[in-house]
Amino acid sequence: MINLKNLQYQLWGLLIIALYACEPHSDEKDIVGASLVSLNYDQEISVKIDSILSIMTLEEKLGQLSQLNNAGDKHIDSTTVNAVRKGEVGSLLINRRSFYSIEERNFYQKLAVEESRLGIPIIFGHDVIHGFRTIFPTSLAQSSTWSPDLVEKGAEIAAREASAQGVDWAFAPMVDVARDPRWGRIAEGYGEDPYLNAVFGAAVVRGFQGKDVSAPDRVAACMKHYVGYGAAVGGRGKQFTDISKRTLHEVYLPPFKAGIEQGALTVMTAFNDINGTPATAYTYGIREVLKKDYGFQGFVVSDWDAVKHLLWHGIAADTTDAAQLALNAGVDMEMKTIFYKKLKEALAEGTVAIETIDDAVKRILYVKYKLGLFKRPYIEKDNTRELFLSDTHRKEARKMAAASMVLLQNNNDVLPVPSGTQSIAVVGAFAQERDVMGWWKSTGKFKDVITAFDGIKSNAAEGMEVTDKVTANTAYIIACVGEPSRFFGESRNRADITVPAEQVDFLKSLQKYKKPIVLVVFNGRPLDLSNVTDLTQAILLAWHPGTETGNALADVLFGQHNPYAKLTASFPRSVAQVPVYYSRRNSGNPNGNKYIDLSGEPLFPFGFGLSYTTFEYSSLKIEQAKMPVNGELKLSVIITNTGSKEGYEVAQLYVRDLVGSTTRPIKELKGFQKVLLAPGESKKVNFVLPTRELAVFNADFEPVIEPGKFYVWVAPNVTGGLKGEFEIAGNFNAQ
Ligand code: NOJ
C-alpha cells in the first residue's frame, strides 16, 4: 500500500516538474489576505511535497495545520484516534502532565502512516526546555556559563533522550530578551542581552538539530516566542507590549534571526499584543520579516490557545475571523487546534485563499521531510533505559550546573570551604529540597534529584562532618534559600523579588552562631538581594540546577570547580528600579539615570561574577585605530591570573558608537572569550570583530555601517575593563 502511494507521488511529481518548468514564478505573490514568498526547497523535497499536496482534500490540508493535545489520563481516546485515521491531524502535542509510552506514540503514528489515506506521519511536539529526563539548569542559569559549547551539549543530550521516547519537535529555545525580573518567564530565556540570546539560541538549535536533523537522535527546534514577549508591561506576561520598530529590530528580533540562520525548522508565536496587533496576527513580523527578509522556510505554530486569544484581544469578531487572521498573518499551524477547522468557512467566504493554506501545508510537510519522518516514522527500538540519566548525561548535567553557579560575594575568601573543616551544617528551606528543576522539568522526577544536603554530604572530604542542624561543632553554615518553581515560569510573575521573608528571618536567626555563613540561593529570576548581603559572608547563586543539584553544588563549595559564571541579567537593588539593564541610551542628561532616593545602578551588574582566584587585565592593543567600513577590528588584551588557583575568566567585549544618525546604547556586548589560566599565568586574548557587527539600522531599517568613532572595552563585567578607541572611515551598506 505504501509503495503504491509512493509510485503515485512520483508520477504526480514528474507532472509537476514539467508544469513548474513552463510556468514563470515570482518571489512574492499577493493573494487574498496574505503575501506569500516562494519556498526554496531542494528539488527532491519540493517534488514530493507538491505531489502529496496535489492529491490532498481540503480536510486533509487543514488536518496538517492542526495540532491536537490529547495528553491527560486518556492517552488513547477515540476522538483523536478517529481524527488521525481520517488524516486530519498534523501534529500531536505531548504535554508535561503525562507522557505517551513509545507504544502509544507508535500506535498513533501507525494510524497516520498506515491507516490514513495519504499516510502522512504525525510530528510529535513537547516542551523540551532544559532537559528531558536528565534535567539541566534553567535556561537563564545556562546562559550564566557564557559557554555555548556546554549549552549545545546540553541540548544534544536533551534531544537524544526526548527522541528516544518519540519526541520529534522541541518547543525551545526561548530567546525572548527579558529585562523585567518580575516576569516569571525570564527564567526560560538567556537574559537581558540580544547578543547573548542569539548566541545561546543558536547553540540550542545546533544541539537539537545537529548537522543532520533526520538522524534518529535529533529533534526540530522551535524558536519562541515570536516576538517581543519579554517586553510585557510591568512584567505581567501575556500583556500589551509597546515596542518601537527600532527596539524590535535591535533588541527582540536578532536572536530569532540567529536561530533561523542556524536552520531552526520552526517558530512559535507569542501571547503579547505588539503595539495593537497580537503576535499571532502580526503580519509584519511573520510574513514580512521572518518569512521574507530572513527567508525562513519552516513553519510557524501558534502558542497554546493564541488563536482563540484573538477574540479576547478584540481583533477577531468570531472563530472564523480569528482563524483567517492568524493564517493570513503567517501562522501555519494552530497549537491545540480548535479554530483552524473554521478555515473551511473562511475559504468559502473568500477571506483566505487556497494558496495560503497550501503554503502552510508545504511548510509543515517540509519539516516532516527534513526530520526524516516519512522514512522513519516509528521508534523502532526502546533505548530509554540506557539513555535516561546515564552516567554521561548526569556528568554533563553536573558540569553545566556547576558552571552556571555565580559567586556574587565572597568576603575574606570564605569559599571554597577548606578541606580541613571539621563540621559543616547544611540548613535552610532548600537544603533538602527536590523542587530545584525549574518550571519546565519535562519528564524529570523529584526522586532522581540529588539534594544540596545529599550532594554536599557525599562529596565532603574524609572526616568532614555534614549535619542538617547547626551544632556546637559547626565551623561553617551553608544556608540554602530561594524560590520554589511555582514562583517563576509561565503566569508566575512576582511583584516582590526578594528572598521570601521567612527565609530572611531564618538567615537572621543564624547570626547568633557567629560562624561563617555561605548563602546558596536557588532562584529562577534575578532577585533583589539587598536585604541579605549583610547577613552572609558569601553568596552563591545556584539557580534551579536540575537533577545534579547537590553534586554540582558540592563541586563549587569544595573548590573542585572554580566558579566562572557571570550574570546575564542585571540584579536590581530594588524592584523599584525595574527595568534596569546595562545597554540603556545615554539620553540628553546622563545624570538623569538615578532617583533622589536610590541609585540608578543595579546591585550586581550584567557580566558580573567572582572566582576563587583574581584576574588582571592589561595592555589593550587595538591593531588599527582607523578601519575601512568593510574591515575587521582586531584587538587583544593580556589577562593575568593574579591569585593562587587555576581558573577560567570570561572576558567581555563591549562597544559604544559615539556619534551616529541614531542614538546608541552606552555599551553593547559584541563578543566574549573564556580563557583558562594557571596561577601567575598571563595569556594574550584576541578578539576579531567584523565591522558588519557594528551596523545600525538607518531610518528605513536597513543595516548600515556609519563612519565615526567608537569606544571599545575588554572587561570582566559591564562596569569595568580596559577602554580604547577606534574609528571607521567611509560609508557602506551592511546588507
Ligand atoms: C504555552 C507556552 O507559552 C509555550 O512556551 C509552550 O511551548 C506551550 N504552552 C506548549 O506547552
Side-chain angles (χ1 to χ4, degrees), residues 67 93-96 126-127 129 171-172 174 185 188 224-225 229 238 268-269 271 302-304 335 440 490:
Q67 179 183 67
L93 186 150
I94 310 174
N95 81 20
R96 67 178 183 154
H126 174 66
D127 285 288
I129 311 297
F171 302 140
M174 171 175 135
R185 304 201 78 171
E188 293 175 49
K224 70 185 190 186
H225 304 85
Y229 191 24
K238 307 185 186 175
M268 187 188 297
T269 59
F271 285 127
S302 75
D303 202 341
W304 184 279
M335 180 177 283
W440 289 110
E490 192 176 346

Side-chain angles (χ1 to χ4, degrees), residues 464-478:
M464 187 188 283
E465 182 189 43
V466 179
T467 60
D468 58 5
K469 283 184 207 55
V470 182
T471 69
N473 291 339
T474 300
Y476 259 77
I477 302 173
I478 312 286

Side-chain angles (χ1 to χ4, degrees), residues 554-586:
D555 290 344
V556 178
L557 294 175
F558 296 137
Q560 301 305 317
H561 172 90
N562 185 355
Y564 59 77
K566 299 194 178 194
L567 299 179
T568 57
S570 310
F571 272 45
R573 51 183 81 238
S574 156
V575 74
Q577 291 181 311
V578 167
V580 59
Y581 54 92
Y582 83 87
S583 68
R584 63 188 166 81
R585 253 82 172 166
N586 203 37

Side-chain angles (χ1 to χ4, degrees), residues 196-270:
L196 281 187
N197 273 279
V199 166
F200 289 113
V204 173
V205 174
R206 288 195 300 275
F208 279 162
Q209 299 193 172
K211 286 203 170 64
D212 173 12
V213 70
S214 73
D217 56 352
R218 298 296 183 173
V219 295
C222 183
M223 309 293 299
K224 70 185 190 186
H225 304 85
Y226 196 74
V227 59
Y229 191 24
V233 171
R236 298 186 290 275
K238 307 185 186 175
Q239 288 291 317
F240 180 71
T241 60
D242 201 353
I243 306 175
S244 71
K245 208 164 168 188
R246 177 157 300 284
T247 304
L248 180 73
H249 282 270
E250 287 181 1
V251 177
Y252 294 105
L253 285 170
F256 287 93
K257 185 164 189 266
I260 303 310
E261 281 166 4
Q262 290 297 319
L265 285 173
T266 73
V267 170
M268 187 188 297
T269 59

Side-chain angles (χ1 to χ4, degrees), residues 307-439:
V307 179
K308 175 160 107 190
H309 291 183
L310 299 181
L311 294 175
W312 302 347
H313 279 290
I315 65 154
D318 54 34
T319 51
T320 314
D321 198 23
Q324 71 81 9
L325 279 170
L327 184 78
N328 282 329
V331 178
D332 304 300
M333 181 185 279
E334 183 190 11
M335 180 177 283
K336 193 171 117 14
T337 299
I338 5 176
F339 284 35
Y340 265 26
K341 297 290 174 206
K342 293 288 185 154
L343 288 171
K344 193 170 179 178
E345 270 117 85
L347 187 68
E349 286 164 10
T351 52
V352 300
I354 190 67
E355 288 89 338
T356 312
I357 294 175
D358 286 354
D359 181 77
V361 175
K362 284 186 193 175
R363 288 172 177 273
I364 293 162
L365 293 180
Y366 168 71
V367 171
K368 291 184 176 183
Y369 270 113
K370 291 294 275 186
L371 272 169
L373 282 173
F374 282 89
K375 286 197 183 128
R376 198 185 35 79
Y378 304 117
I379 305 302
E380 272 144 27
K381 189 165 169 260
D382 183 350
N383 290 327
T384 54
R385 222 176 261 269
E386 298 95 88
L387 286 178
F388 289 181
L389 299 165
S390 70
D391 287 351
T392 333
H393 294 187
R394 275 196 178 266
K395 212 167 135 209
E396 280 299 323
R398 177 173 182 165
K399 201 203 271 179
M400 167 112 71
S404 67
M405 294 182 186
V406 190
L407 184 64
L408 289 179
Q409 184 169 302
N410 195 16
N411 301 346
N412 306 320
D413 291 338
V414 71
L415 280 177
V417 177
S419 54
T421 307
Q422 297 285 300
S423 180
I424 59 174
V426 183
V427 295
F430 277 74
Q432 318 242 6
E433 181 57 76
R434 290 173 190 277
D435 176 17
V436 284
M437 288 187 284
W439 165 244

Side-chain angles (χ1 to χ4, degrees), residues 157-172:
I157 289 171
R160 199 180 298 146
E161 292 189 349
S163 57
Q165 181 75 39
V167 174
D168 309 305
W169 175 25
F171 302 140

